[in-house]
Amino acid sequence: MSLLSLPVSTLGVPRMGPRRELKFALESYWSGKSDAAALLEAAAGLRVAHWARQKALGVTNIPSNDFSLYDHVLDTSVMVGAIPEAYGWTGGPVPLDIYFAMARGSQGGDQGTACSHGGHGDNGEARGVPALEMTKWFDTNYHYMVPEFTKGQKFTLASTKPVDEYLEAKALGYETRPVLLGPVSYLKLGKSTDPALDPLSLIADLLPVYVEVLRRLSENGADWVQIDEPCLVLDLDATAHEALRQAYRVFAEALPGLKIMLTTYFGGLGDNLDAALGLPVAGLHLDLVRAPEQLDGVLAKAPQGLVLSLGVLDGRNVWRANLPSLLDRLEPVVARHGPERVEIAPSCSLLHVPIDLDLETGLDPDLKEWLAFSVQKMGELTVLGKALVEGREAVMQELADSAVAASRREASEKVHDRAVAARIASITPELTKRATRFAERARQQRAASNLPPFPTTTIGSFPQTETVRKARAAHAKGAINDADYETFLRKETETAVRWQEEIGLDVLVHGEFERNDMVQYFGEQLSGFAFTKHAWVQSYGSRYVRPPILFGDVSRPRPMTVEWWRYAQSLTEKPMKGMLTGPVTILNWSFVRDDVPRNLACRQIALAIRDEVQDLEAAGAWMIQIDEAALREGLPLRKADWKLYLDWAVESFRIASSGVSDRTQIHTHMCYSEFNDIIDAIAAMDADVISIETSRSKMELLDAFRTFRYPNEIGPGVFDIHSPRVPDAVEMANLLTLARERIADEQLWVNPDCGLKTRKWEEVRPALVNMVAAARQLRLAMN
């Protein structure tokens, strides 16, 4: 029977639901408003909707097990029984309370936590456990829970979720291709509590669990299984190559009839090409958006019969494809390799893009014509699949519409601004440097501030309570006028400032109650950005964000934060930080243009932020924080490419921050980064003070500072803001003691890991009180 269309795959789809149904089900469960049955029912309903939507759009390889209540890497840890002893698991199915304790930590006595397994303090009260460490999924803004391995690690099948969800789909009439995170990538994503233990040395112990899962899938009718090994786009050594050979040899020998689609993404195979092509798998997926150049090498070397999955649509960005142009590339490949051995797909899972453009009724019509979200990308794939089998005539209108949209975008005056281009051309080296070296600046700043040792501060935001969110929503709908809304925000700001004074924080923040998001707030006030109402993507767990869409040249029409800073500073004699988001973070947390280099877009944003920094200084601010939470996130996956990125990223930060006097203290903040990798670049940023996440790693992220003499000041986070758990002052003081082993006392600041907007006041208040107490303990110990 001839094909009507080339096979179409998605590799995975967004989990949350078009209206963030998963978020609300999770938060209802965590708050005790609903039970586990209600949560699981909501999750099942979302899976059904996902499968039905893909089927209706013409997807032929529909995935299962791409859904997760929190994180797919955490799901894999649960599947293989890699559950640290602290969570109290004693075998058998893993309860939801343990699953969510690994994800979020637990406070003793909380509903939906592992408090009943977590031990007790000396006073007999239940004590909580911290969450697993969390970090970025490769170079995306998705966060995963880091697997934790110990010496003598044992693996056992503790969850049959992949099999259960395959059977769930099958019972509904959907034949799916189950998705598993590959064993080698899983181990490489993890960390060992024993420095001498290489997680890859555990591969032989891990494989029997994978074999059992694959066996059950095969016995229940699965013909193909998608196994994701994104580690294949990294720099791999001989040990990793041998682990890959061992794993897939075991799979082939144990299950010779099961077909594996080996999935790589986020880059090219590069020097791992021969290793990948040498594995006994039936199919190989290639990211041809990030690495289009790899296709020729694969075609030249691919074994006879290998099915190639071509990732030709960007699974990480929102731009509509130029389908005729794509067909020009694909038609020769299909003719050469054969339509029976080719699939088309996004570059990676569609997890990283919003769900449905049709929900956006308020976007500029021109911009909307240029976009494609998950649903629209599936439609594009179906058009390509049909054209590649039946010919372009079968989809003539769809191809014509695509070409017209691409042409209009390229020519649009909304995209290009000559004044911005002229300003970029005028950038000189002097624009990227502070006038004086840090040592002299620090002397002036310390004399002016008269702060105590171990000064305390926060990262910027305070809880965005339900009251705040309701007021913002009412204002957006016109139910609250501008004057009343500003009065409300001023009251919230004053309350936060007074409370910070009351507990004894040394450097205050205004709380950011007027801000919806640390990137969106600025993007809404800059030219070249557009915003959506429903284009949510998952950051972690139930935390979703709506990234701005950077579609054109960037400039700042007017000041963005100055008046709010003036008001907050008028309420206190203590220093009030000006709070900005840095150019690299705005870039990395946006859907960026694909028609200009990233470094050009970043420099445009940097000049806009520079204008704001200078206006804040002119208004009287002498502490200005320019957050670069996502600096490392943009780091290329291959070390050979690091220097080019870091050079322009650091230059962009310095463009934004260098136009101030010596007395003005520039702060920055960075989240969830392996600082050892980029410590030279961090120093080159020349921020006067950096604050970083270190609490989940128990200050291990400061190891870089043992050998690198970081010259400036630093605030290592002392409590994890992504968990509801409230550590006591002793725990925080102990972390600071560890920090003092790596950082000189005069360099050390005291702060949380990150901003506090996602937490509740009942968590934030005691945590910050304890943090201030911990700093005071250290000061007393100095005397």
Side-chain angles (χ1 to χ4, degrees):
M1 185 174 67
S2 63
L3 293 170
L4 295 177
S5 171
L6 216 63
V8 171
S9 310
T10 60
L11 309 186
V13 296
R15 302 159 180 164
M16 72 195 78
R19 305 288 181 179
R20 294 181 292 162
E21 291 89 345
L22 181 59
K23 171 186 177 68
F24 301 121
L26 284 167
E27 293 178 355
S28 176
Y29 172 70
W30 291 335
S31 67
K33 295 177 182 177
S34 62
D35 60 14
L39 172 61
L40 298 178
E41 181 181 359
L46 286 169
R47 289 193 294 271
V48 173
H50 297 167
W51 294 324
R53 183 182 301 116
Q54 292 174 81
K55 183 74 171 179
L57 289 167
V59 176
T60 47
N61 295 316
I62 298 173
S64 59
N65 197 45
D66 58 324
F67 180 85
S68 176
L69 286 174
Y70 202 94
D71 165 50
H72 61 280
V73 183
L74 177 61
D75 292 346
T76 306
S77 292
V78 170
M79 180 184 82
V80 302
I83 300 172
E85 184 178 350
Y87 297 99
W89 180 63
T90 56
V94 179
L96 274 180
D97 63 351
I98 290 181
Y99 178 87
F100 286 128
M102 294 169 72
R104 308 174 68 237
S106 69
Q107 188 72 21
D110 283 353
Q111 182 265 351
T113 70
C115 61
S116 60
H117 304 281
H120 292 81
D122 293 339
N123 60 2
E125 296 179 355
R127 74 168 184 265
V129 290
L132 291 174
E133 186 176 336
M134 182 166 67
T135 195
K136 297 295 177 69
W137 172 248
F138 293 83
D139 58 350
T140 75
N141 190 35
Y142 177 82
H143 301 65
Y144 75 93
M145 309 309 300
V146 179
E148 186 176 297
F149 307 122
T150 60
K151 189 175 182 180
Q153 178 74 50
K154 301 296 182 185
F155 298 105
T156 186
L157 182 60
S159 167
T160 56
K161 177 180 178 292
V163 183
D164 298 340
E165 293 186 7
Y166 171 76
L167 290 173
E168 180 183 346
K170 193 168 188 176
L172 294 167
Y174 302 108
E175 184 55 45
T176 61
R177 188 167 72 183
V179 180
L180 296 176
L181 176 60
V184 179
S185 293
Y186 172 70
L187 291 175
K188 285 190 68 64
L189 290 167
K191 62 177 288 187
S192 171
T193 58
D194 181 352
L197 176 66
D198 178 359
L200 283 180
S201 68
L202 302 171
I203 188 70
D205 297 314
L206 177 63
L207 290 178
V209 180
Y210 270 82
V211 168
E212 178 60 17
V213 172
L214 293 172
R215 183 186 65 78
R216 295 190 187 194
L217 286 169
S218 180
E219 288 177 349
N220 282 286
D223 187 30
W224 281 86
V225 174
Q226 174 184 321
I227 301 186
D228 292 355
E229 290 286 10
C231 72
L232 276 162
V233 306
L234 304 177
D235 296 316
L236 298 182
D237 58 17
T239 300
H241 282 172
E242 177 53 35
L244 285 160
R245 285 191 291 269
Q246 181 181 356
Y248 290 87
R249 184 173 62 246
V250 167
F251 296 162
E253 291 172 354
L255 296 148
L258 183 65
K259 299 173 186 176
I260 291 175
M261 175 58 71
L262 181 67
T263 311
T264 68
Y265 41 79
F266 301 151
L269 289 164
D271 55 0
N272 298 320
L273 173 60
D274 290 340
L277 291 176
L279 299 176
V281 296
L284 177 65
H285 174 78
L286 305 169
D287 183 339
L288 298 180
V289 174
R290 282 288 187 91
E293 71 285 350
Q294 67 178 323
L295 181 58
D296 288 342
V298 172
L299 289 172
K301 294 184 175 183
Q304 187 69 27
L306 183 70
V307 175
L308 292 181
S309 171
L310 307 181
V312 294
L313 295 187
D314 196 339
R316 294 179 53 175
N317 214 334
V318 294
W319 300 107
R320 185 174 179 176
N322 185 331
L323 297 182
S325 178
L326 278 179
L327 285 172
D328 291 341
R329 293 172 53 202
L330 290 171
E331 286 166 342
V333 177
V334 173
R336 173 179 173 181
H337 204 63
E340 70 282 355
R341 292 191 292 135
V342 176
E343 300 176 1
I344 52 173
S347 57
C348 60
S349 166
L350 295 172
L351 171 69
H352 307 285
V353 294
I355 293 177
D356 190 358
L357 181 62
D358 288 345
L359 296 174
E360 301 300 330
T361 57
L363 277 177
D364 175 276
D366 290 341
L367 176 60
K368 190 171 182 178
E369 183 187 40
W370 307 335
L371 302 177
F373 295 175
S374 174
V375 166
Q376 288 71 39
K377 288 177 186 290
M378 294 183 218
E380 289 181 312
L381 288 169
T382 302
V383 171
L384 289 172
K386 192 170 185 179
L388 288 166
V389 171
E390 296 188 27
R392 298 194 187 200
E393 297 78 11
V395 286
M396 187 179 300
Q397 188 59 54
E398 291 90 336
L399 297 181
D401 292 345
S402 175
V404 167
S407 176
R408 286 175 178 168
R409 180 185 172 203
E410 184 178 1
S412 174
E413 294 182 358
K414 297 177 181 179
V415 173
H416 307 290
D417 185 330
R418 291 181 181 178
V420 173
R423 194 174 182 197
I424 288 290
S426 70
I427 293 175
T428 63
E430 288 70 32
L431 210 68
T432 68
K433 299 175 184 176
R434 296 289 293 270
T436 306
R437 295 175 65 86
F438 171 74
E440 173 57 24
R441 302 198 309 264
R443 185 188 65 77
Q444 294 185 43
Q445 291 163 11
R446 288 167 185 163
S449 66
N450 196 31
L451 293 173
F454 313 114
T456 55
T457 188
T458 67
I459 305 306
S461 60
F462 278 135
Q464 296 275 318
T465 63
E466 185 175 358
T467 301
V468 172
R469 293 195 299 270
K470 284 183 176 179
R472 180 180 298 124
H475 178 248
K477 294 175 182 177
I480 298 178
N481 63 36
D482 291 347
D484 289 345
Y485 184 53
E486 181 165 337
T487 298
F488 167 80
L489 292 174
R490 282 176 172 250
K491 182 179 179 182
E492 293 289 319
T493 301
E494 181 175 7
T495 299
V497 170
R498 300 293 181 223
W499 181 76
Q500 291 174 82
E501 289 183 315
E502 178 185 326
I503 67 169
L505 281 168
D506 300 306
V507 175
L508 311 189
V509 297
H510 77 288
E512 304 180 12
F513 301 105
E514 79 285 4
R515 303 186 187 184
N516 41 24
D517 175 83
M518 66 180 290
V519 172
Q520 181 178 348
Y521 178 77
F522 292 96
E524 286 177 338
Q525 301 180 77
L526 297 170
S527 65
F529 284 90
F531 293 85
T532 61
K533 295 294 185 183
H534 305 286
W536 300 97
V537 293
Q538 186 178 20
S539 180
Y540 63 88
S542 67
R543 169 70 169 157
Y544 307 125
V545 294
R546 284 178 299 164
I549 298 172
L550 174 52
F551 69 88
D553 290 339
V554 178
S555 61
R556 187 199 68 149
R558 63 191 65 83
M560 301 179 285
T561 66
V562 174
E563 289 309 312
W564 278 111
W565 177 84
R566 275 201 182 104
Y567 171 68
Q569 185 64 81
S570 73
L571 300 171
T572 181
E573 295 297 319
K574 289 193 171 185
M576 176 69 59
K577 285 192 289 188
M579 302 299 304
L580 305 173
T581 302
V584 183
T585 297
I586 291 176
L587 181 83
N588 284 336
W589 286 359
S590 298
F591 290 121
V592 299
R593 296 169 66 176
D594 59 357
D595 60 331
V596 298
R598 292 172 66 88
N599 58 12
L600 173 60
C602 199
R603 289 183 177 96
Q604 292 179 359
I605 302 168
L607 288 170
I609 299 301
R610 180 185 179 93
D611 293 342
E612 188 71 12
V613 169
Q614 292 178 323
D615 282 349
L616 279 168
E617 183 184 52
W622 55 273
M623 283 189 181
I624 302 172
Q625 183 169 310
I626 309 171
D627 287 341
E628 285 294 16
L631 180 77
R632 193 193 184 284
E633 181 179 306
L635 196 67
L637 298 176
R638 297 284 190 153
K639 285 192 175 182
D641 301 322
W642 284 11
K643 185 178 185 303
L644 179 63
Y645 164 76
L646 289 171
D647 283 350
W648 63 254
V650 168
E651 180 194 74
S652 295
F653 178 83
R654 291 177 66 142
I655 288 171
S657 63
S658 294
V660 294
S661 69
D662 291 348
R663 181 178 178 273
T664 296
Q665 188 176 70
I666 297 293
H667 292 235
T668 191
H669 170 69
M670 298 179 190
C671 294
Y672 296 94
S673 295
E674 295 294 337
F675 300 104
N676 304 30
D677 294 340
I678 58 169
I679 188 65
D680 292 307
I682 292 173
M685 293 169 69
D686 200 25
D688 298 303
V689 183
I690 64 171
S691 55
I692 59 176
E693 178 277 328
T694 52
S695 69
R696 283 198 180 189
S697 69
K698 299 178 176 61
M699 298 292 166
E700 289 177 8
L701 289 177
L702 291 181
D703 284 348
F705 298 90
R706 287 186 183 275
T707 54
F708 184 91
R709 293 290 298 171
Y710 184 74
N712 301 16
E713 298 175 16
I714 183 168
V718 295
F719 71 88
D720 175 20
I721 68 89
H722 294 91
S723 169
R725 180 175 175 271
V726 178
D728 59 26
V730 173
E731 182 176 329
M732 295 190 206
N734 289 339
L735 287 175
L736 287 167
T737 299
L738 291 174
R740 293 175 74 190
E741 296 175 2
R742 300 158 171 88
I743 302 294
D745 286 353
E746 63 270 18
Q747 293 177 278
L748 198 56
W749 285 64
V750 180
N751 46 256
D753 271 346
C754 199
L756 298 164
K757 67 177 292 185
T758 61
R759 299 266 53 92
K760 299 175 181 178
W761 274 112
E762 52 263 38
E763 300 156 356
V764 166
R765 288 190 181 97
L768 288 181
V769 167
N770 292 346
M771 187 187 81
V772 171
R776 288 171 175 165
Q777 287 182 31
L778 263 65
R779 292 169 194 160
L780 289 172
M782 293 179 68
N783 299 327

